[in-house]
Every structure is written in C-alpha cells, then in structure tokens.
Amino acid sequence: MTSNTPDVQPTTATSSSGSDIETVDNGIEDETGLLAERALASGPIDDQTSQMIRRKIDLRILPFLCITYALQFMENTSMSYCSVYGIFPDKKLRGQDYSWILSIFYFGYLAAEYPGIALMQKFRVAKFLGFNIILWGAVLMTSAACSSFTCLATMRFLLGVAEATISPGFVAIMGIWWTRQEQASRSSLWISFLGVGSFIGTLIVYALTQDNAQPVSWKRIFFELGVMTFVWGVLFSLAMPDSPTTATWLNENEKVAAVQRIIENKTGTRSRNFVKAQVFEAITDPKIIILGLISFANAFASGGLAYGSFVIQGFGFDPLKTTLLSLPLFTIQVVAQLGSGYLVSRIRDFRLHMASLAMVPPIVGTILINQLRPDNRWGRLAGVWLLGSYPVGFMVILGLLSTNIAGTTKRSVASGWVFSCYCAGQIFGPQFFKNAEGPAYRNGIMAMLCAFALNAFLSQALRLHYVLENKKRDRALEEMSEDEIATIEKLSEREGFEDVTDKYNAMFRYAL
C-alpha cells in the first residue's frame, strides 16, 4: 500500500515513561504522532488492506486480552471455590467474614482506580498493564501463605489494587486497534473469557480436590493460579505492543494503515496530555452518569453471584457435585456473550436493546430460585444457571466506553467512574447475603432480581438519551450543502487525533 506523506516536520518528544514518540506541530495530540498525520493524508483505506491488517491485529492482540481476562476470573471465582473446599475451617471465618473477604478486594480496586488510570494515561499502556499482571500473580501466590483473616483480607485488598486497571486498560486498547463496528464482536470475545476462565478454573479445582476435598487444597488453588498469572504477566510485558507505532509485526505502511482504519472512530488512539476541561465535561455528562449506574446494577448482581456455590450446595449437593454443577452456568455465560456480540455486530443500533434483553433470563432465574419449593432442587438449580446471561450488560457498557467517548482525559475519567461504580456494586452485593439466611438467601436473591430489572431499565434510558442527541446533531446539518458537510467530516476526522471530545465533534454519532 502506498500513501502520500504531507510536508510536515516531525519533532521527537520524550514521554514520561522514557519512550520516544513522533509528534507534529499542527494540533495532533495523539500518541501515534506522525503516523496519524500520514493516515489522515492518505485518504480512506481500501477494504482488502483493512481486512489484512485486521487479521494481523486479531491474531496478535486478542489472545492477550482473552487469556488475561480468563486468568482474572479464574482468580475472582477462587474464593467461591475455596468456600466449599476448606477455607472456612482452615481460616475460622465466621458470620459475615466471607462477605467481607469478597468485598475488601473491591475496596482495593476502588482505592487504586483513579490513581491507576491517571498513571496509565502517562505511561505505555501495555507495559503498565503487564507490570500489574505480574503484581497480581505475586500477591495471589503470597495469599497461599496466609494463616489469619487479617492476612487474607490484606492480600485481597492488594489484589484489588493490582487488578484495578486491567479492564479500563482493555477498553483503551479496543479504541487503539479496532473500528467502532469491530469493537462489539471483539469485546464480546475477550469478555466471554470470564466464563471460559470460570469454567477452566472449576475443572482445575475439581482435579485438585479428588483427595476428598482436604482443607489444604485451597492453598494449591491460590498458589497455582498465582504462578500462571505471574508467568503470563512477564510474557504480556514483553510481547504486547502499546500502539501501532511499537508493533514490530507491522511494517511502516502497515502501521499507517492500522491508524487509517480507526480514523472513522473519531476518537484517535490516545493522548498522554491531561486536559482539565475534559474532567468537568465528564463528571457533568448525564450519559456517563447513567453508564456508571448500569455498571453498579450489574456488579451488584455479580457480587451476589459470588455466593452461587453456597446456593447450589444448599440444594443438597456435596462439594464435588457443587463444583461440577457450576459448569452449565459458566457455559451459558460464554454462549450468551459470544451470541450477543455476534448479534450487535450484525444488527445496527442493537447494543442497548441486547443489554436489556439479556436481563430477562436472570430475572426469571431469580424468581425460580425464590419461588419454587425447597424440595425442587433441580428446578431451582436451573434458575441459578439462567443467571449466566447477566454479564452481557457489563459487556455492552465496556464497549460503549471505547466507542461513545472521545477525548482521552474524558474517557479516563469516565472509565474511573464506571469502574468505581462497579466496585461499589461488588462491595454491596455480597452484604445482602446474610450468613443467618443461608442456604436459601432469599433476601440476597431478591436484591439480585431488583438489580437485573434496574439494569434493563437504565439501558433503555441511556439508549433514549443517545437517540435524542444523535437527532439533535443531524438537525444541525439539515440546512448545509453536501460540500459543507464533506468539509466538516474531514475536520471531524482530524479532530479525533486532536483530542477533541465527542461533545464538540460535530460529526460524532453515538452507537446505540
């Protein structure tokens, strides 16, 4: 592929992370610098070249996202595994101790969220994430040596600190490499690995506990997951590129093409400059506020589902059967997320409708769990399995964070808000599961039902907001000529690399 390079004199600036970045002195704020300038001057990319570059990106980037997410959710469900394999007698946890062990992880997550995102904006994103993956592996291994509630709680807090920037970092990566339309299916793939990780983790636990579930087996779970995560973090740091500028598997023309592909996003890749005005814009944007509320509702139910192993065990199953009977739940998670991702990539303006529809099976499931007679354990178990589609709501809002928010600082603040709400939901959710109410946990299940219903409602409220905003912007162009609109479109494409926010980009339209 050939491209026409404009007569622009690049300068070299050294970032705070110590890496050299090519920049240009004409408004380009994007870290791709001269590549962005060349991409803008090259015009639209042809379909064949775009598909070739996309295949390379899929093969080189997606595996890192998928495997990392699988490891994260193998670890996140490890406490649930341990609850039925000896951690209670071994650690002498009583009353609401287990709820607090679950929640304290998210106190660490919450404490590190905004500082972590601020640091990530200043440093090379892949290397920063790799360091945090290594840290979380080390903390997880150390947890196996804990001998008290205090020690275990401390390690859980540090684990939350280490994992706080993983999902926000992946949101940033989506905008760097894929078009808005492509992001839906790619997001659904790596997010679906929360189910894959849970499924694999369950099988690992089952294999480790064939010795009649001896109490020490929980230590093996922590340690072996920690070793896998630590090794993966080293590989991630060495092999994951930060942007097209550092992708050694792309030649110079292919790097330009990779940037050309995402011009239509009107979000650029990312800037390392902090813009105060974008902070105020983010915290006063009702669309971002609603995104956070959806995140809270989804995470609230997720926090409650951490008690899923107790609920299943309460139906009268032994620990080994409890482990195996969790597998259909994780299978449904994977199928629901991949299926939803496929549908929203094929059906225009269907993302938020899909988020609402995905709440229907969990609503039915919670009703079955609470309303069926106690002796109907298989019917109530089917209700637990139906909860598996709830993560689709979280998948949708993660996609909207990368597609519907322009301006790096604004997106960072929005990500911090959304994931802070996620932490709050994860903290409060388990607290509705009172130890005295086990194994039925009727109030906890009812609280999850309310969260699912709220999730569905808020998704439609957000969609209505996006629709009205898009129509308002379309009306502003009605009196303009085709030439005027074409000129504004060219300016809009450039503004994506000048760190202009979605609010001030006249041609930006919100994905629905």
Side-chain angles (χ1 to χ4, degrees):
M1 186 193 79
T2 60
S3 61
N4 298 319
T5 305
D7 186 17
V8 178
Q9 295 300 317
T11 61
T12 301
T14 303
S15 74
S16 57
S17 62
S19 62
D20 291 336
I21 304 171
E22 287 185 307
T23 62
V24 288
D25 297 322
N26 58 355
I28 295 292
E29 297 286 344
D30 199 88
E31 74 172 6
T32 54
L34 186 57
L35 282 182
E37 190 64 50
R38 292 176 61 189
L40 288 165
S42 298
I45 188 172
D46 64 89
D47 289 341
Q48 184 178 359
T49 302
S50 180
Q51 291 174 13
M52 183 269 290
I53 298 296
R54 185 184 64 202
R55 284 193 295 271
K56 280 194 171 187
I57 293 170
D58 286 345
L59 289 172
R60 299 282 187 157
I61 303 297
L62 276 176
F64 285 101
L65 308 186
C66 292
I67 294 174
T68 303
Y69 229 57
L71 287 170
Q72 186 172 31
F73 278 85
M74 287 167 66
E75 177 273 313
N76 280 351
T77 54
S78 63
M79 285 303 301
S80 180
Y81 303 147
C82 293
S83 68
V84 294
Y85 285 112
I87 196 170
F88 276 115
D90 213 23
K91 291 283 167 264
K92 299 181 177 60
L93 304 184
R94 298 182 180 89
Q96 291 299 106
D97 284 353
Y98 180 66
S99 293
W100 283 111
I101 285 291
L102 293 176
S103 295
I104 201 165
F105 170 91
Y106 292 99
F107 281 106
Y109 202 118
L110 185 61
E113 191 62 40
Y114 272 111
I117 288 176
L119 287 172
M120 186 166 60
Q121 185 174 345
K122 290 293 184 181
F123 289 86
R124 298 166 65 183
V125 62
K127 300 300 178 287
F128 183 80
L129 292 176
F131 170 79
N132 281 276
I133 295 170
I134 293 170
L135 179 61
W136 122 43
V139 172
L140 196 56
M141 285 188 287
T142 304
S143 299
C146 286
S147 58
S148 67
F149 171 82
T150 301
C151 177
L152 191 58
T154 301
M155 289 299 103
R156 292 288 295 171
F157 182 89
L158 293 176
L159 207 57
V161 170
E163 294 187 34
T165 55
I166 301 301
S167 292
F170 285 9
V171 170
I173 288 170
M174 293 302 296
I176 292 173
W177 294 100
W178 287 281
T179 68
R180 284 158 64 100
Q181 189 64 22
E182 293 166 354
Q183 286 174 27
S185 57
R186 272 67 182 177
S187 292
S188 70
L189 180 60
W190 60 263
I191 294 172
S192 73
F193 270 70
L194 72 88
V196 173
S198 298
F199 190 98
I200 295 172
T202 300
L203 293 178
I204 291 174
V205 170
Y206 183 77
L208 290 176
T209 52
Q210 288 303 294
D211 53 352
N212 297 317
Q214 292 298 318
V216 296
S217 62
W218 71 270
K219 296 184 177 181
R220 295 177 62 187
I221 296 169
F222 277 145
F223 185 77
E224 295 189 18
L225 285 177
V227 170
M228 286 190 290
T229 303
F230 187 94
V231 172
W232 178 249
V234 173
L235 181 60
F236 190 103
S237 299
L238 295 175
M240 178 71 176
D242 300 286
S243 74
T245 60
T246 59
T248 57
W249 35 269
L250 294 175
N251 62 39
E252 286 305 308
N253 283 338
E254 288 172 340
K255 290 178 181 180
V256 174
V259 178
Q260 275 181 284
R261 281 171 29 81
I262 56 93
I263 288 176
E264 66 182 72
N265 294 353
K266 299 179 176 63
T267 58
T269 59
R270 71 185 199 120
S271 167
R272 298 191 190 179
N273 296 324
F274 180 81
V275 183
K276 291 182 180 179
Q278 291 187 19
V279 176
F280 180 77
E281 184 178 328
I283 64 177
T284 57
D285 189 335
K287 299 183 292 297
I288 291 175
I289 293 172
I290 297 173
L291 277 173
L293 295 177
I294 296 173
S295 178
F296 173 84
N298 198 268
F300 184 97
S302 177
L305 198 59
Y307 269 78
S309 59
F310 286 126
V311 174
I312 294 175
Q313 193 173 32
F315 296 157
F317 299 105
D318 63 39
L320 290 179
K321 285 185 178 178
T322 295
T323 301
L324 292 179
L325 289 173
S326 299
L327 295 178
L329 171 65
F330 305 137
T331 301
I332 290 173
Q333 284 184 358
V334 175
V335 172
Q337 288 171 330
L338 291 178
S340 298
Y342 176 79
L343 287 175
V344 299
S345 68
R346 297 293 180 178
I347 304 175
R348 185 178 176 83
D349 298 337
F350 194 61
R351 296 187 191 203
L352 287 161
H353 283 329
M354 190 72 254
S356 294
L357 289 172
M359 296 303 114
V360 174
I363 288 173
V364 173
T366 51
I367 293 173
L368 289 176
I369 297 169
N370 258 359
Q371 298 302 317
L372 290 179
R373 294 186 310 174
D375 60 348
N376 189 353
R377 65 177 185 173
W378 289 104
R380 298 174 73 197
L381 179 61
V384 174
W385 293 342
L386 286 174
L387 304 181
S389 67
Y390 86 91
V392 170
F394 189 60
M395 177 193 80
V396 169
I397 63 170
L398 286 188
L400 295 177
L401 273 177
S402 62
T403 60
N404 277 0
I405 302 174
T408 300
T409 303
K410 182 178 181 180
R411 191 185 304 120
S412 295
V413 174
S415 292
W417 161 247
V418 166
F419 285 100
S420 294
C421 289
Y422 171 83
C423 292
Q426 292 280 5
I427 289 169
F428 284 112
Q431 301 306 318
F432 279 78
F433 285 74
K434 303 297 184 183
N435 191 58
E437 296 178 356
Y441 300 106
R442 291 191 177 275
N443 287 331
I445 298 298
M446 185 56 66
M448 290 176 68
L449 171 61
C450 294
F452 293 137
L454 181 62
N455 196 324
F457 171 77
L458 289 173
S459 294
Q460 291 307 299
L462 180 60
R463 190 179 193 280
L464 177 61
H465 208 299
Y466 284 147
V467 168
L468 294 176
E469 183 63 29
N470 285 346
K471 288 183 177 180
K472 177 182 176 181
R473 296 183 180 208
D474 289 341
R475 286 195 298 270
L477 301 177
E478 287 177 354
E479 302 300 323
M480 295 185 181
S481 67
E482 290 185 5
D483 288 342
E484 288 175 322
I485 293 175
T487 299
I488 295 174
E489 177 64 32
K490 294 296 289 184
L491 176 62
S492 173
E493 291 177 351
R494 186 173 193 84
E495 286 176 337
F497 293 98
E498 293 176 344
D499 206 28
V500 175
T501 67
D502 51 282
K503 180 178 180 179
Y504 296 105
N505 191 322
M507 300 302 289
F508 193 97
R509 295 296 180 270
Y510 296 98
L512 306 176

